Amino acid sequence: MADSSTLTLGTGRSLDLSAFDSRLAETSKEHLFLGSTAQDIEDGMPLVETRVVLVGEAGNNDQLLKALEEIKVPCIKTCNVKEFGDGENTEFETIFILTDFGCPEYGYLYKKDNRILGPPVVLHCAAKEEPLPFSSRPLYCTTMLNLVLCFTGFRKKEEVVKLVNLAHYMGGTIRRDFSSKVTHLIANSTHGEKFRVAVSMGTPILKTEWIYKAWEKRNELNFCAAAEEFRLEYKVPPFQDCVLSFLGFSDEDKASMEDMTEMQGGRYLPVGDVRCTHMVVEENTIKELPFEPSKKLYVVKQEWFWGSIQMDARAGESMYFYEKAGSPTLKKSVSLLSLNTPNSNRKRRRLQDTLAQLTRETDISPFPPHKRTSAEHSLSMGSLLDISNTPESGKATGETPRSIARPSKSSTPVPQKQSARWQVAKELYQTESNYVDILTTVLQLFKDPLEKEGQLGGPILAVEEIKTIFGSIPDIFDVHTRIKAELEELVLNWSEDKSVGDIILKYSKELVKAYPPFVNFFEMSKETIAKCEKQKPRFHAFLKINQAKPECGRQTLAELLIRPVQRLPSVALLLNDIRKHTAEDNPDKVTLEKAIESLKEVMTHINEDKRKTEGQKQIFDVVYEVDNCPANLLSSHRSLVHRVETISLGDQPCDRGENVTLFLFNDCLEIARKRHKVISTFRSPHGGTRPQASLKHITLMPLSQIRKVLDLKETEDCHNAFALVVRPPTEQDNLLFSFQLTAEDTFKEDWLRMLCRHVANTICKADAENLIQRTDPDSLQVNTKDMDSSTLSRASRAIKKTSKKVTRAFSFTKTPKRVIQRAFLANSTPDSPTSDTGNYLGGRLASTSSLARVQSPSLVSLPAMFERKYLTFSRSTTHLI
């Protein structure tokens, strides 16, 4: 019924959609503005004064009255529209402003063909400094201005009439027939020709709720119904009105596809249920259907399922019908498919025939059943991986069906018997050809479609995600395409004096430039693929479709992308084999050795660059994790050495009991405490989210400021604690930072030794051991009491913290603890290292002899000036007692 040519609009008025469509949609007179123009005067149109009548509640809107003043239009307030709405006054062009398009006044004015606007239209015109629009129908707001809507799949005429009215009220235009001018299709069903055309053209297909929700927001001036974030909430899911069943899939795949079905708006039932609309078949495992399907049941291949998710709309079933193996339809499709495969020219065929003949006639096979001796040497994980078990070894392990060679410039006949050196050179060419084919598959099957503009349903991935996944693959492909061409020329025109090493040496500098950007971020590439596949159903469907194609050899995108990581070690092994079969007097012997060394230098450079990149990435992770982290932490010469979790035991650098994280770098120490509240997350412009920083920056301290590292003895009240004697340039005295290690996997001795080694390196001293001083914690009044994570302990620390703040506010004295610590710190200098407890205690007694013969820690004599201030403060506060 959506295609009916006549709809009832308003109250008692019928409208012919065909005339309506041509009159309003084909012209630009949908919304004209009031006011005389030069063209109006030339056409002799009479000048008519415009007035606005505010009906009912509209007259009480101060914002509306102010807007009318700004656009300089006189207004009249009334509650009786009949005295103005009879349409007989020809002196004025009257515009009625109503806040409710469902009131009786609206019905009366609509029957009399009066111009009716809503308050948002007036406010919109005032904000844009435009005159009021001339609309041939009531216009409440401009939420759907310039939008062209079409409807499909509706059975009830009344529902369509209501939706059309609302769209008109919001400034939208309705089309009866679907065309390229339609901006949005309102679909109540996924069937019909309009739906199919909209899918093919990429037109947004929306639910009716989109119009209703837009009408609810009609009074929001800055709201636009076409906004993508709002529109995506009401898009028609691919499997709406579909009931799916799955045949031939593993339990894991079936469960995943069933979950995906529900996510995409559909339902699923067991195979054979009469309520099913579609049966998705795994064509590689199912040869015969278990029953004769009914005519209403679509039997489709799994590509239809994933294709629908990828394009974010239900795909047409006709392209994906399941056919039994050997059926005429299937044979026809296979023959048509073969027409699209690249054909080889005569030179290429001659090369393949020659290589095949020589493979049969020579004793040394390019693909022996056992591993080459050189291939058995393994490489560490820290370097590049071997490729002995990759598709480059031959067709049996995943060679792509693409052509393996390009046309050569010459075709000199090759002798039927060749040396072992030529055999390995031929293997190098074959693996290089396979490798280029794999890169071609990655680019043509994955990267190019993802970057293609105008994708149905919008871009599958953000631009930054595509760059992260594929990196410098195009540059690597370009270099190896040229290497392959020269190897092909060498194989076709082979002689023993031909140099293989020169080809590799020629491109060694380009390999250095092309490989590090990809290899360094390969782990990030894999993580991005896994994350996007999990979070973005369309990307998951895209991978399912393309990874099932024969070009991929049943390998995933991540498995294909590992080939560049493995390729250079494989080339080095083959060059080493060629060198072994090269005579000593052959000039290529020396060249091959240089080529092997150049490849090793390339791989060393890649590994070193990878190490630096990982170090820089660790620093960036610290910057993201620590709020207000100083920007100067980012430095090319800086690297993260270790990270430890601690609890502060003193008043500095933060309050006692705070969870503190120490980041040790090669030249500085970043100290950060745990944030008390983590509220929100950071959302990037590309759609990803980053967790809010969990730590708060305290200080970034150069290691040169650390004078001593104190290893606090284990006692009943002190466990796993250490302290740092620090002398910042802004302080006249040393400071004491004391901490307790909390991580079970961190050993205090190893941590302190590591810290002292980097401090010694920073201050250019060789005796790092002398920086450590073993100390009794009681001498510094440091303990780890109440440092557990129980609720009671946390509450106790909070009370003590509050009490300390109050005491600090009302006291002018220094605590005995701080006096003792200052006495110790004054004696702790890097020029007088002390390694044993006895020496330390002697120094402590000597340094505290000036404390006015202290009898107990609580009886410390104060200077006279502090006594006077204290007495004055006491006298001034006696009246408070």
Side-chain angles (χ1 to χ4, degrees), residues 152-178:
T152 184
F154 291 87
R155 294 180 177 271
K156 296 181 179 180
K157 182 177 179 179
E158 295 77 10
E159 183 179 6
V160 181
V161 170
K162 183 177 180 181
L163 293 170
V164 168
N165 280 334
L166 293 180
H168 284 161
Y169 295 162
M170 293 183 282
T173 304
I174 310 299
R175 282 293 186 91
R176 179 185 178 210
D177 298 321
F178 190 88

Side-chain angles (χ1 to χ4, degrees), residues 504-531:
I504 305 302
L505 285 174
K506 179 180 179 181
Y507 295 99
S508 60
K509 293 183 179 180
E510 294 187 49
L511 293 174
V512 171
K513 294 179 181 179
Y515 271 91
F518 179 81
V519 177
N520 294 344
F521 295 97
F522 174 67
E523 293 299 325
M524 186 182 298
S525 174
K526 288 200 306 181
E527 293 172 2
T528 304
I529 293 174
K531 181 191 71 174

Side-chain angles (χ1 to χ4, degrees), residues 421 483 486-487 490 497-508 575 587-596 598:
R421 169 179 156 86
I483 293 176
E486 297 203 19
L487 288 174
L490 180 140
D497 60 348
K498 292 282 186 179
S499 177
V500 179
D502 282 339
I503 298 176
I504 305 302
L505 285 174
K506 179 180 179 181
Y507 295 99
S508 60
L575 290 179
D588 197 29
K589 185 86 171 183
V590 178
T591 308
L592 283 169
E593 291 176 353
K594 292 181 180 179
I596 294 171
S598 70

Side-chain angles (χ1 to χ4, degrees), residues 656 712-721 740 776-778 782-787:
R656 175 179 172 84
L712 302 183
K713 293 182 178 180
E714 295 292 318
T715 64
E716 184 178 353
D717 295 334
C718 188
H719 301 285
N720 216 20
Q740 179 189 23
D776 186 358
D778 292 337
V782 174
N783 63 74
T784 58
K785 288 182 179 180
D786 302 326
M787 286 297 108

Side-chain angles (χ1 to χ4, degrees), residues 618-636:
Q618 289 177 337
I619 298 179
F620 274 104
D621 291 341
V622 173
V623 172
Y624 287 132
E625 187 177 3
V626 179
D627 186 26
N628 292 329
C629 186
N632 58 359
L633 180 66
L634 297 172
S635 177
S636 59

Side-chain angles (χ1 to χ4, degrees), residues 500-740:
V500 179
D502 282 339
I503 298 176
I504 305 302
L505 285 174
K506 179 180 179 181
Y507 295 99
S508 60
K509 293 183 179 180
E510 294 187 49
L511 293 174
V512 171
K513 294 179 181 179
Y515 271 91
F518 179 81
V519 177
N520 294 344
F521 295 97
F522 174 67
E523 293 299 325
M524 186 182 298
S525 174
K526 288 200 306 181
E527 293 172 2
T528 304
I529 293 174
K531 181 191 71 174
C532 292
E533 189 174 6
K534 184 178 180 181
Q535 298 178 354
K536 301 187 176 184
R538 294 182 61 208
F539 181 63
H540 177 72
F542 173 81
L543 293 182
K544 284 288 187 180
I545 293 172
N546 290 285
Q547 290 170 174
K549 294 180 179 179
E551 294 94 322
C552 292
R554 295 182 177 274
Q555 296 177 92
T556 64
L557 176 59
E559 291 170 341
L560 293 174
L561 287 176
I562 202 175
R563 303 302 179 230
V565 181
Q566 299 172 329
R567 181 57 187 164
L568 292 184
S570 175
V571 173
L573 295 175
L574 287 169
L575 290 179
N576 192 49
D577 279 1
I578 296 174
R579 184 182 62 83
K580 290 178 181 179
H581 295 96
T582 302
E584 294 294 335
D585 58 348
N586 193 324
D588 197 29
K589 185 86 171 183
V590 178
T591 308
L592 283 169
E593 291 176 353
K594 292 181 180 179
I596 294 171
E597 288 301 317
S598 70
L599 279 182
K600 288 182 179 179
E601 291 177 5
V602 172
M603 290 185 284
T604 302
H605 177 81
I606 292 173
N607 291 332
E608 180 64 21
D609 201 46
K610 185 173 186 293
R611 185 188 64 79
K612 291 180 180 179
T613 302
E614 289 175 349
Q616 293 295 317
K617 183 177 179 297
Q618 289 177 337
I619 298 179
F620 274 104
D621 291 341
V622 173
V623 172
Y624 287 132
E625 187 177 3
V626 179
D627 186 26
N628 292 329
C629 186
N632 58 359
L633 180 66
L634 297 172
S635 177
S636 59
H637 72 276
R638 183 166 293 137
S639 60
L640 179 65
V641 178
H642 197 62
R643 165 183 178 157
V644 293
E645 303 294 335
T646 67
I647 295 178
S648 176
L649 300 179
D651 299 332
Q652 293 178 343
C654 58
D655 294 328
R656 175 179 172 84
E658 292 275 9
N659 291 301
V660 178
T661 301
L662 305 179
F663 296 96
L664 175 61
F665 295 89
N666 59 321
D667 63 342
C668 62
L669 184 69
E670 166 65 21
I671 304 177
R673 67 168 176 83
K674 185 178 181 181
R675 294 190 67 173
H676 299 149
K677 274 187 179 180
V678 179
I679 301 175
S680 61
T681 57
F682 167 77
R683 180 173 294 275
S684 75
H686 307 294
T689 57
R690 181 179 294 124
Q692 181 78 358
S694 58
L695 301 174
K696 188 172 183 62
H697 168 73
I698 297 178
T699 183
L700 179 62
M701 181 173 60
L703 295 183
S704 58
Q705 295 181 9
I706 299 179
R707 301 302 180 91
K708 280 290 182 181
V709 178
L710 305 181
D711 181 7
L712 302 183
K713 293 182 178 180
E714 295 292 318
T715 64
E716 184 178 353
D717 295 334
C718 188
H719 301 285
N720 216 20
F722 70 96
L724 304 177
V725 179
V726 180
R727 181 70 175 271
T730 57
E731 297 287 339
Q732 295 183 354
D733 299 324
N734 293 333
L735 302 178
L736 182 70
F737 296 169
S738 54
F739 306 96
Q740 179 189 23

Side-chain angles (χ1 to χ4, degrees), residues 817-830:
K817 174 181 176 182
R818 185 166 298 179
V819 173
I820 294 174
Q821 289 180 348
R822 285 196 174 194
F824 171 80
L825 296 174
N827 187 60
S828 298
T829 62

